[in-house]
Amino acid sequence: MSTRRGFVGMILLLFLTVTVRAAQTPPAIQCIPQETVICLQISQPKALLDMLAGRETIQAVTALPLIQQQLSSPKFQEFANVIKFIETTLETDWRTGLARLTGGGITIAVCPQDTIVAIVDAEDGRLLDRLHELFLNFARGEAQKQGQPDRVASREYNGVTAWTFDGKEAHAIVGKRFVFANRAEGLKPVLDLVARPDGQSLASNAVFQAALRAGDTNAVATAFVNLKPLLGLPPIAQLLEKPRTNPLAALVFAGISESFRQSSWLHMGLGVEGKTLTVRALTDGKITGQKSPAAFALPQKPEDGVRPNLDVPRRIAALSLYRDLHGFYAAKDTLFPERTSGLIFFENMMGIFFTGRDLTSEVLAETEPEVRIVVAEQQYDPAVGTPAVRLPAFAVVLRLRYPEQFRPVVEEAWQKAVGLINFTRGQQALPGLIIDRPSHGQTKFTMAAFSTVDVEDKTKLDTRFNVRPALALPGAYLILSSTDGLARDLIDALARNTDQTAQPIGQTHSVLEIDGPGAASALSANRETLVRGDMVKKGRSRPEAEAGIDMLITLVKLVDRAKLAVGTRDNLTQFQLETTLNLPKP
């Protein structure tokens, strides 16, 4: 009986010891120093492993030409042998082992003084200990070979054994937790917080707490950035300052640069659903006042916002912006008190094209706060010919307030612009554009093109034949396109996207979409040109250039579609990036 009681007592003592030890291990975020600038937390590592290390992803990556070359290299074979040895020693495959070693979560922090801290919580503490022992033996053997046995050392700190394998980094194992710092000095404050979790950690930082409350708590992974230290860095400060002096940059990035300048934190959350990765980011910058470009980009009513992007055949990218062009240009003297040469030239040209009409009150006042841009791969007419370098077509689509009244004004301005181009080219003894008035459906539009009548070889035309400018005004819309083909496709797209089927996206002022198949097709069509350019600019051999371009095309093919939306939510600026992968089936 006494033996049985002793055995039961030992089991209870062991259970209590493990329970107390687990209770003494605080959440990883409470072990991160308070002055951390960037902190990444992966709370669900297995979800990321399933996507990034799944069969479909591995098959897609190993299909890359550059990766295939590496797979047969001696260095990779040596690496593969090491992985097999580790798998055999630990009695597990690398996927399962990685899941068991990281299943409790991963936290990585960037701290001042170039210090990087990582905390990995394993599900299997025994496997973590065995892996550490294995690498310890590796490090000792390597140090012996190089005659530096002292660089592998250990010491006690706060009751924890801290190790270094190269005399620089420092790490320790606390229960099932692996703690690492790239500098020995960086490990001490982490171990101090492990011993005293009520200390000054990032979890107690007011800025971090504000970001955490606003972020997505169900995200697979989250990231926190303390923006104040970063905004003072010269490269970032210069980047955010540029929209203040560049009208075009201010118009495109309105609401974005202002938000970052006024923000103290950035919080990002990653969601995984099937083959789609969704990143939601928030900043706390408050945008106020009429002296900011954002005042003409932020929707004033909850139901206002950008219209969905237009979808056309062979689309590469599309951008939809909610921008009050009239209000923005009316405030130009306040926004940009120092007039640039580019702005002066623009105003002079517009004055010529629109016959002296006031650009603010008589031209831009005719537009609604809606700007849509489309980029698509061209489909060339065999009768016309194909350029040696195939440039994508692009177009701008605006909605007009009074299309019937404004249509002749725009038509006259467009023909003046073409006439000026022809006059300039004529002075240089270069062929000009020929204007035509074809019809597409119920819309009659204007286009111009260079003639190929006198060109014998129509398979490698000059680059100028990529341009066939067109102006179309279907219904309440104005289409200004680099080609008549894209203009026709947009006329069809606008006919499908009526006010009932294309409702505004509330409180969203910018939406950018990139189509992987279209981008990959455009790159493939210009593969030879890209290869030659790589050889000339980077001095690479043809095989090296071809391998690089082919890898780029393959990587682009792995993305089906990427969509970035920017708007406001609860007085915060929100960014949402959705990326759908195009992975081959195993």
Side-chain angles (χ1 to χ4, degrees):
M1 181 67 68
S2 60
T3 303
R4 181 177 297 179
R5 287 179 179 176
F7 178 75
V8 172
M10 289 178 60
I11 295 296
L12 289 174
L13 180 61
L14 178 62
F15 174 78
L16 289 174
T17 301
V18 172
T19 302
V20 171
R21 187 178 182 186
Q24 291 176 343
T25 304
I29 196 64
Q30 293 184 10
C31 303
I32 298 297
Q34 189 178 52
E35 63 274 13
T36 292
V37 179
I38 301 173
C39 182
L40 170 66
Q41 294 177 276
I42 304 176
S43 57
Q44 302 176 45
K46 290 182 179 179
L48 285 181
L49 281 173
D50 289 342
M51 170 170 278
L52 300 179
R55 292 183 178 180
E56 293 184 0
T57 306
I58 295 298
Q59 180 175 325
V61 171
T62 54
L64 296 174
L66 186 60
I67 299 300
Q68 289 181 342
Q69 292 178 9
Q70 294 298 321
L71 291 177
S72 59
S73 67
K75 288 185 178 180
F76 182 84
Q77 292 301 321
E78 182 179 348
F79 171 76
N81 291 334
V82 171
I83 296 298
K84 289 180 181 178
F85 175 77
I86 294 175
E87 289 178 327
T88 302
T89 304
L90 300 182
E91 300 174 325
T92 183
D93 64 273
W94 68 270
R95 284 190 185 88
T96 304
L98 197 57
R100 290 162 60 188
L101 288 169
T102 63
I106 302 172
T107 303
I108 301 174
V110 178
C111 307
Q113 299 180 346
D114 297 326
T115 300
I116 298 176
V117 172
I119 298 176
V120 182
D121 288 306
E123 288 184 344
D124 189 336
R126 181 171 174 272
L127 184 63
L128 177 61
D129 291 334
R130 292 174 63 191
L131 180 65
H132 183 264
E133 187 68 24
L134 181 63
F135 278 107
L136 176 60
N137 292 331
F138 280 161
R140 284 172 172 166
E142 189 65 24
Q144 289 288 347
K145 289 181 182 179
Q146 298 182 9
Q148 298 176 330
D150 294 340
R151 74 181 189 182
V152 179
S154 66
R155 58 171 294 188
E156 294 295 316
Y157 185 79
N158 283 348
V160 176
T161 302
W163 290 88
T164 180
F165 285 173
D166 61 2
K168 299 177 182 178
E169 60 82 29
H171 64 270
I173 295 179
V174 184
K176 295 182 180 181
R177 173 170 292 171
F178 177 77
V179 184
F180 167 88
N182 66 329
R183 300 168 59 246
E185 295 80 0
L187 185 64
K188 293 179 181 179
V190 178
L191 294 180
D192 287 339
L193 289 170
V194 170
R196 295 183 295 277
D198 57 343
Q200 298 297 308
S201 68
L202 182 62
S204 63
N205 187 310
V207 177
F208 175 79
Q209 291 177 349
L212 189 65
R213 288 192 296 269
D216 183 2
T217 57
N218 296 320
V220 171
T222 60
F224 162 78
V225 181
N226 188 346
L227 290 175
K228 290 301 182 182
L230 298 179
L231 294 178
L233 298 177
I236 296 179
Q238 292 173 9
L239 181 64
L240 294 178
E241 194 68 22
K242 191 171 184 179
R244 290 185 173 182
T245 58
N246 187 316
L248 183 59
L251 186 63
V252 174
F253 297 103
I256 299 175
S257 58
E258 294 94 335
S259 174
F260 274 103
R261 281 199 298 266
Q262 302 299 324
S263 295
S264 57
W265 54 260
L266 167 68
H267 186 278
M268 294 182 287
L270 172 65
V272 179
E273 185 176 351
K275 297 181 181 180
T276 301
L277 301 174
T278 302
V279 177
R280 293 184 179 90
L282 294 170
T283 61
D284 64 331
K286 301 295 188 297
I287 305 171
T288 58
Q290 295 298 312
K291 294 185 178 181
S292 166
F296 312 103
L298 301 182
Q300 300 302 310
K301 301 177 181 179
E303 65 273 15
D304 288 344
V306 296
R307 300 273 177 173
N309 278 312
L310 295 169
D311 198 3
V312 298
R314 303 172 302 281
R315 193 180 76 171
I316 297 174
L319 174 65
S320 184
L321 302 172
Y322 183 93
R323 299 292 187 272
D324 180 5
L325 299 180
H326 168 252
F328 178 81
Y329 194 77
K332 66 182 185 301
D333 293 334
T334 302
L335 297 173
F336 312 102
E338 296 183 6
R339 301 172 68 78
T340 63
S341 58
L343 185 59
I344 294 174
F345 177 78
F346 171 78
E347 291 177 334
N348 291 337
M349 289 296 99
M350 292 300 102
I352 295 173
F353 298 153
F354 287 98
T355 321
R357 289 181 174 84
D358 184 80
L359 191 57
T360 304
S361 60
E362 295 181 283
V363 178
L364 295 178
E366 297 287 338
T367 63
E368 298 280 2
E370 179 181 323
V371 181
R372 288 190 275 189
I373 301 171
V374 179
V375 181
E377 186 181 10
Q378 292 199 53
Q379 190 174 46
Y380 298 94
D381 184 352
V384 177
T386 305
V389 178
R390 305 179 189 182
L391 301 179
F394 59 90
V396 177
V397 180
L398 304 175
R399 184 196 290 265
L400 302 177
R401 296 182 186 273
Y402 307 103
E404 293 298 328
Q405 300 176 16
F406 198 57
R407 185 174 286 111
V409 176
V410 176
E411 186 73 44
E412 179 186 350
W414 188 87
Q415 294 198 25
K416 283 182 179 178
V418 175
L420 180 60
I421 292 172
N422 282 341
F423 177 77
T424 303
R425 290 182 63 84
Q427 287 183 318
Q428 301 172 11
L430 297 173
L433 293 160
I434 301 173
I435 296 178
D436 193 11
R437 289 275 293 170
S439 296
H440 184 75
Q442 302 298 317
T443 302
K444 192 171 185 178
F445 65 98
T446 309
M447 63 158 292
F450 294 103
S451 174
T452 60
V453 173
D454 298 331
V455 180
E456 295 183 2
D457 185 3
K458 296 183 180 181
T459 61
K460 295 181 180 180
L461 296 175
D462 187 75
T463 304
R464 74 175 186 275
F465 288 100
N466 282 288
V467 180
R468 297 167 60 90
L471 172 72
L473 293 117
Y477 293 96
L478 183 155
I479 301 171
L480 186 61
S481 175
S482 67
T483 70
D484 57 316
L486 181 54
R488 296 172 194 269
D489 290 336
L490 286 170
I491 291 172
D492 293 336
L494 290 169
R496 295 190 301 268
N497 288 263
T498 62
D499 290 341
Q500 288 72 31
T501 60
Q503 293 295 318
I505 306 173
Q507 294 300 294
T508 300
H509 61 74
S510 306
V511 175
L512 170 66
E513 291 182 85
I514 298 177
D515 298 282
S521 179
L523 290 171
S524 298
N526 292 283
R527 179 180 180 276
E528 181 59 28
T529 302
L530 293 172
V531 168
R532 290 180 180 177
D534 219 25
M535 294 170 62
V536 173
K537 294 179 181 178
K538 299 181 181 180
R540 294 180 175 176
S541 65
R542 172 169 283 276
E544 291 175 335
E546 288 179 339
I549 298 302
D550 288 340
M551 185 178 71
L552 172 62
I553 294 173
T554 305
L555 288 174
V556 173
K557 287 181 179 179
L558 296 180
V559 178
D560 183 46
R561 178 169 294 187
K563 179 180 179 181
L564 173 65
V566 186
T568 56
R569 195 200 80 182
D570 300 330
N571 294 322
L572 302 174
T573 299
Q574 176 176 274
F575 305 79
Q576 180 166 310
L577 174 63
E578 294 181 4
T579 304
T580 302
L581 302 180
N582 180 28
L583 300 176
K585 295 182 180 180

